[in-house]
Amino acid sequence: EVQLEESGGGLVQPGGSLRLSCAASGFTFSSHWMYWVRQAPGKGLVWVSRISSDGSNTNYADSVKGRFTISRDNAKNTLFLQMNGLRAEDTAVYYCARGCVAAACVSLLWGQGTLVTVSS
Amino acid sequence: QSVLTQPPSVSASPGQRVTISCSGSSSNIGSIYVSWYQQFPGTAPKLLIYDNSKRYSGIPDRFSGSKSGTSATLDITGLQTGDEADYYCGSWDTSLSAAVFGGGTKLTVL
């Protein structure tokens, strides 16, 4: 069974930083693209970033480009999202999700999410 | 404004059938597989359909997906009150190099 467990969320002031982690189990982590998707309170799903199975390719939403960095440690089956320069509009539940083995494929299995609140 | 367009809400009675549409373009649905997700309030989304029409493990056959051109559809038959949830479609956009989702459709089972 695929299991994804996010951690690292919390309350942070505008301009601050947070590092989210996602511990994966139940599948061959090093074979899959991995995603971060966020959902602001009462809003829909918004893609944030993704990383290839070996970590060599990354993509970012324009809204986070230059501020967020996705990375992974395949030896530890863990996905990360380093978030710098946080803004109020980054407030959301952040979900880690398992993607496909193929690149142009969005069929996601989701973690339970971690809440990030950006407020003074 | 979402790249994929879904109706904000649909409703039907128990036992009936409902269809949720998802409209995109040639750079996403028109050339890439579509997936569908179900989300109950306060919980994470759950994969229902992948590769346009394949049901994920454990999903009942009351749920089915299809795609034609730049649009996709989720059909739910034999509606149950427990199907009340938000439903999202998703795909990859080759022009944007981004995953894209619909704005979500709230299903009400009256």
Side-chain angles (χ1 to χ4, degrees):
Chain A
E1 179 191 3
V2 172
Q3 292 196 334
L4 300 166
E5 185 170 354
E6 301 93 335
S7 60
L11 175 63
V12 61
Q13 292 188 341
S17 298
L18 275 179
R19 189 192 198 202
L20 305 183
S21 299
C22 172
S25 62
F27 66 100
T28 305
F29 181 74
S30 60
S31 295
H32 289 261
W33 285 77
M34 294 297 295
Y35 289 70
W36 287 101
V37 178
R38 68 186 181 185
Q39 186 171 36
K43 302 297 184 182
L45 304 173
V46 177
W47 171 73
V48 173
S49 181
R50 72 167 190 170
I51 186 168
S52 60
S53 57
D54 65 358
S56 63
N57 288 292
T58 58
N59 300 101
Y60 296 93
D62 287 343
S63 59
V64 306
K65 204 170 292 183
R67 299 188 298 125
F68 290 11
T69 302
I70 190 171
S71 62
R72 64 192 296 161
D73 184 337
N74 284 349
K76 296 183 178 180
N77 290 350
T78 304
L79 175 71
F80 302 101
L81 185 67
Q82 177 66 43
M83 303 187 295
N84 299 330
L86 283 162
R87 306 166 180 167
E89 55 264 36
D90 295 318
T91 294
V93 174
Y94 284 73
Y95 294 102
C96 158
R98 190 198 85 168
C100 306
V101 172
C105 164
V106 179
S107 296
L108 304 178
L109 297 177
W110 307 70
Q112 86 288 349
T114 187
L115 176 62
V116 172
T117 303
V118 184
S119 175
S120 55
Chain B
Q1 194 79 352
S2 301
V3 173
L4 304 182
T5 301
Q6 297 180 235
S9 63
V10 295
S11 62
S13 300
Q16 290 190 331
R17 171 193 176 193
V18 71
T19 296
I20 298 174
S21 61
C22 176
S23 178
S25 68
S26 59
S27 61
N28 42 67
I29 294 177
S31 55
I32 302 292
Y33 286 128
V34 176
S35 52
W36 288 92
Y37 306 90
Q38 177 190 58
Q39 186 180 35
F40 296 105
T43 69
K46 180 174 77 170
L47 178 63
L48 293 175
I49 302 289
Y50 67 100
D51 290 359
N52 301 332
S53 59
K54 298 177 181 176
R55 274 184 299 276
Y56 184 63
S57 175
I59 302 303
D61 59 7
R62 300 187 298 105
F63 294 86
S64 64
S66 62
K67 187 180 92 167
S68 178
T70 59
S71 293
T73 299
L74 175 69
D75 280 301
I76 311 172
T77 59
L79 273 173
Q80 303 174 0
T81 55
D83 296 331
E84 282 204 342
D86 294 323
Y87 293 83
Y88 294 89
C89 57
S91 186
W92 181 258
D93 191 291
T94 56
S95 294
L96 298 174
S97 290
V100 290
F101 294 98
T105 299
K106 181 176 181 60
L107 169 62
T108 301
V109 181
L110 303 167

